[in-house]
């Protein structure tokens, strides 16, 4: 796994980060249009910029364009288009496809993006952190439940959806592909921090500074663990479990 940063800091990366923060701040308002516009401009800018570069910086920008691209898809979807639980596969299934196509195009090995088990006991310990994260985040934002009861026939499919289309898909993108491509550009500390800050910014929609701070810290820890263990298994399970507790278990349990 490449962990050596470029000899010269690639400062434009932080301009793209500032653009993503601006886009998410605008999208969190009553009118999503300006946020979608800025995200679209970031996609175009990153891809055009990458075409004029070579090496790690070009590869990083081509991958970075995936994040705002998927956010545009999410923001374009009307709130009443489908039930809330089905928004996750509608947005994240194309993300999974795009990430695997990118991995193939860049000739990356699965081990490079963390698609390996690693040391299983450690990965399972990391996975358990998701339970704590879900409980704490529920206390911060207190979202509505995605299901009506805790009966197994009703919660089984939502659990599978959250595990696959939030846990696996988002960790594959952020802690797998994107972090792997940014570390050679910004170094381990800069790369992990860059991805964690973007991940936190993508939670502006909850309109909670506490949640953004908490999620950013969790994302940094998960990013460091994925980098050290060279596997996204544990963080994917943790992310999925956190969302199961956040959107299914805790809202119903606290209402009883």
């Amino acid at each position: 796994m490449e962990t050596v940063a470029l000899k010269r800091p690639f400062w434009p990366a932080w301009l793209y980060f500032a653009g993503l923060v601006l886009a998410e701040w605008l999208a969190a308002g009553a009118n999503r249009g300006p946020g979608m516009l800025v995200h679209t401009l970031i996609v175009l800018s990153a891809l055009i910029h990458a075409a004029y570069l070579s090496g790690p910086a070009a590869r990083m920008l081509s991958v970075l364009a995936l994040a705002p691209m998927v956010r545009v898809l999410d923001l374009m979807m009307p709130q009443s288009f489908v039930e809330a639980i089905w928004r996750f596969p509608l947005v994240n299934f194309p993300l999974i496809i795009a990430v695997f196509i990118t991995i193939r195009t860049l000739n990356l090995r699965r081990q490079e993006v963390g698609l390996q088990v690693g040391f299983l006991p450690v990965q399972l310990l990391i996975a358990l952190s998701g339970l704590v994260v879900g409980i704490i985040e529920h206390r911060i934002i207190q979202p509505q439940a995605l299901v009506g009861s805790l009966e197994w026939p009703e919660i089984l499919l939502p659990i599978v959806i959250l595990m696959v289309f939030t846990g696996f898909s988002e960790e594959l993108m952020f802690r797998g592909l994107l972090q792997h491509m940014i570390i050679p550009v910004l170094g381990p500390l800069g790369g992990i921090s860059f991805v964690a800050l973007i991940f936190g910014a993508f939670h502006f929609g909850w309109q909670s500074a506490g949640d953004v701070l908490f999620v950013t810290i969790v994302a940094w820890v998960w990013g460091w663990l994925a980098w050290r263990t060279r596997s996204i298994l544990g963080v994917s399970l943790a992310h999925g479990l956190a969302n199961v507790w956040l959107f299914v278990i805790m809202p119903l349990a606290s209402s009883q």
Side-chain angles (χ1 to χ4, degrees):
M1 179 180 293
E2 181 63 65
T3 60
V4 179
L6 295 177
K7 293 182 179 179
R8 295 181 180 179
F10 186 66
W11 58 266
W14 295 103
L15 291 180
Y16 285 102
F17 165 73
L20 288 169
V21 170
L22 174 62
E24 285 300 300
W25 178 72
L26 292 171
N31 184 1
R32 296 181 169 191
M36 292 170 56
L37 176 60
V38 175
H39 272 308
T40 303
L41 292 174
I42 293 172
V43 172
L44 295 175
S45 298
L47 293 178
I48 293 171
H49 193 177
Y52 285 90
L53 298 174
S54 62
R59 290 153 64 91
M60 184 272 283
L61 287 176
S62 64
V63 170
L64 182 61
L66 290 176
M69 194 181 302
V70 172
R71 286 296 289 142
V72 169
L73 175 62
D74 185 25
L75 294 170
M76 286 178 61
M77 193 177 301
Q79 293 290 328
S80 59
F81 181 65
V82 292
E83 293 182 23
I85 188 64
W86 289 106
R87 292 179 63 90
F88 297 110
L90 284 174
V91 172
N92 287 318
F93 181 72
L95 173 62
I96 294 174
I97 298 300
V99 169
F100 276 111
I101 290 174
T102 303
I103 291 171
R104 177 72 174 176
T105 302
L106 297 176
N107 294 317
L108 298 173
R109 293 176 292 120
R110 61 180 180 84
Q111 294 87 350
E112 292 181 279
V113 294
L115 289 173
Q116 58 183 352
V117 173
F119 187 50
L120 187 57
V122 171
Q123 297 302 317
L124 294 178
L125 283 175
I126 294 172
L128 290 176
S129 70
L131 303 180
V132 178
V133 170
I135 292 171
I136 294 175
E137 191 172 9
H138 175 263
R139 293 182 65 88
I140 297 173
I141 60 176
Q142 299 184 353
Q144 293 184 343
L146 293 177
V147 296
S149 74
L150 289 175
E151 298 293 328
W152 275 109
E154 187 166 355
I155 68 172
L156 182 57
L157 182 57
I159 288 175
V160 172
I161 288 175
L162 290 171
M163 293 298 294
V164 175
F165 295 109
T166 66
F168 174 69
S169 64
E170 294 180 12
E171 292 306 313
L172 177 65
M173 168 63 191
F174 286 97
R175 254 62 65 181
L177 179 61
L178 184 56
Q179 183 168 286
H180 173 72
M181 302 309 297
I182 289 182
I183 283 179
V185 177
L186 300 178
L189 178 60
I192 293 170
S193 300
F194 187 92
V195 174
L197 288 167
I198 291 177
F199 194 77
F202 279 12
H203 287 72
F204 281 1
W206 290 105
Q207 299 184 345
S208 168
D211 184 56
V212 171
L213 176 61
F214 175 69
V215 168
T216 301
I217 294 171
V218 171
W220 197 96
V221 173
W222 283 350
W224 183 83
L225 289 170
W227 174 67
R228 288 293 297 173
T229 65
R230 301 191 177 188
S231 172
I232 63 167
L233 174 61
V235 295
S236 295
L237 292 173
H239 191 157
L241 286 173
N243 283 339
V244 169
W245 248 245
L246 175 62
F247 294 116
V248 177
I249 306 298
M250 291 302 298
L252 292 175
S254 61
S255 64
Q256 293 178 355

